[in-house]
Amino acid sequence: MNGFKLNDLRKDCRPFPSQSPDKPSASKWFDPAEQGKVFAHLLYSDASGPFLELGSWTGAGSSRFVVQHFKSMDLICVDTWEGSPEHHRIKEYNKVRVNLWDHFCSNLWEYRDRVYPLQMKTVRGMNAVFKSGIKPEIIYIDAAHDEDSVYADISGALTLFPDSKICGDDYTPNKHPGVSNAINKCIKDGLFSKQEFKHHGRCWYLTRNT
């Protein structure tokens, strides 16, 4: 059922170019021992997906890991490919950001038939997926890191996709306080309980639906 609906979603996706831009970039914030371990905990090796990723950057991290290790999963990537304010501000990130779409296409070129790039902000992207009738097996939240954005992504995912597994990145209170503050606000507002929240290193997840 999801396969037919994914075909319908393709019309909302930014198309891959006719040939690879050949600008691969290894820039990523992904550790198989942290995020990879959480994915393996939440998913069977034959999981059929789809995997909804909010924030993809160059596609070299979680995006590439998922399509390589979960071969039956399609990947819906929601990103503006313009970078967050922090990516504009930090020189080393900005060098990557200016060619972000090319890096993404290069890194996922061989898997492009399984990748659905929605070039839009995360809440709009989730709504596009919802309106298509697609039910993600798992949602990975790793887009903007300010408190309001993270809270909106988590609350949107919980509201639109109550049966999906939900996880995210950068639970590092000292480095990314916006993420931890948003999670604390979610708990305070009753979106999920403190007992439901777990993390392995900086990768966090909810135990519901697991």
Side-chain angles (χ1 to χ4, degrees):
M1 183 65 72
N2 266 326
F4 293 107
K5 293 174 180 176
L6 280 165
N7 288 335
D8 290 339
L9 186 68
R10 186 68 79 180
K11 68 180 185 302
D12 296 323
C13 293
R14 179 172 180 174
F16 277 79
S18 58
Q19 61 184 27
S20 174
D22 196 25
K23 289 185 179 181
S25 170
S27 177
K28 59 183 178 181
W29 299 279
F30 185 85
D31 185 347
E34 291 190 2
Q35 294 94 332
K37 188 170 183 178
V38 169
F39 293 169
H41 173 70
L42 297 178
L43 298 167
Y44 293 107
S45 59
D46 61 350
S48 57
F51 190 108
L52 175 55
E53 179 180 68
L54 306 182
S56 297
W57 191 233
T58 65
S62 53
S63 311
R64 192 170 174 85
F65 181 89
V66 168
V67 292
Q68 288 181 329
H69 288 82
F70 300 96
K71 300 182 185 302
S72 297
M73 297 192 88
D74 292 303
L75 181 63
I76 303 171
C77 298
V78 182
D79 202 305
T80 62
W81 284 285
E82 296 175 357
S84 298
E86 64 201 271
H87 303 143
H88 288 254
R89 186 174 62 250
I90 299 172
K91 185 176 180 180
E92 63 181 291
Y93 297 163
N94 199 45
K95 287 181 179 179
V96 176
R97 183 198 63 78
V98 294
N99 291 307
L100 199 50
W101 173 247
D102 287 346
H103 295 318
F104 176 85
C105 292
S106 294
N107 285 324
L108 295 171
W109 183 255
E110 63 190 293
Y111 308 104
R112 62 193 181 280
D113 290 343
R114 292 167 52 202
V115 178
Y116 296 77
L118 290 174
Q119 188 173 19
M120 53 189 72
K121 292 186 176 180
T122 50
V123 172
R124 183 186 166 205
M126 281 192 284
N127 276 284
V129 174
F130 176 78
K131 289 176 181 177
S132 296
I134 295 166
K135 297 180 179 179
E137 182 166 347
I138 185 169
I139 302 168
Y140 181 57
I141 299 172
D142 188 23
H145 287 54
D146 62 280
E147 181 179 343
D148 290 344
S149 295
V150 178
Y151 184 90
D153 288 344
I154 296 174
S155 60
L158 289 169
T159 301
L160 296 173
F161 308 108
D163 297 325
S164 298
K165 303 177 182 75
I166 296 176
C167 58
D169 197 20
D170 291 312
Y171 182 69
T172 50
N174 292 331
K175 186 175 181 181
H176 294 291
V179 176
S180 56
N181 290 342
I183 287 168
N184 290 337
K185 189 174 189 296
C186 288
I187 294 171
K188 181 180 177 181
D189 291 350
L191 274 63
F192 52 82
S193 69
K194 187 175 182 180
Q195 290 70 33
E196 286 182 279
F197 175 78
K198 306 290 182 184
H199 70 97
H200 180 73
R202 71 177 190 263
C203 190
W204 61 268
Y205 64 97
L206 303 182
T207 58
R208 64 176 64 182
N209 303 325
T210 61

